[in-house]
Amino acid sequence: MRLRVEFTTEPFDLDEAPAHALVAREVVEAADLDSVDVGPFGNTVEGRADSVLGAVDALLRRSLEAGATRVSLQVNVVGEGE
């Protein structure tokens, strides 16, 4: 199974990326994912279910530890098979 996750971390700061946003970016860029798209208002990652779910676990734990007060995410199944 393949998954696509769209996520944001808050609070927002348009002047400078907050620590939690930098940590979230670090987590997804280091993960074994097929695609990573990081932007100022939303982020998207895609890959095998086990890799995506592992990245989401690390993303939640580390971004909350780094000061995120809210993490919004949406998970979609985008394909079958590995």
Side-chain angles (χ1 to χ4, degrees):
M1 176 185 328
R2 293 181 51 75
L3 300 175
R4 178 182 302 124
V5 173
E6 299 172 49
F7 70 92
T8 58
T9 61
E10 295 178 41
F12 294 115
D13 184 341
L14 296 177
D15 296 324
E16 183 177 339
H20 59 81
L22 297 175
V23 166
R25 179 182 210 155
E26 177 184 295
V27 167
V28 297
E29 288 180 342
D32 182 25
L33 301 169
D34 297 334
S35 69
V36 174
D37 182 22
V38 177
F41 300 108
N43 311 285
T44 305
V45 300
E46 189 173 317
R48 295 181 324 275
D50 58 338
S51 296
V52 171
L53 294 173
V56 167
D57 178 59
L59 165 76
L60 291 171
R61 292 174 189 276
R62 293 194 49 208
S63 62
L64 291 169
E65 288 171 357
T69 57
R70 179 178 178 166
V71 179
S72 302
L73 60 91
Q74 179 176 331
V75 180
N76 293 294
V77 175
V78 294
E80 297 295 324
E82 296 200 13

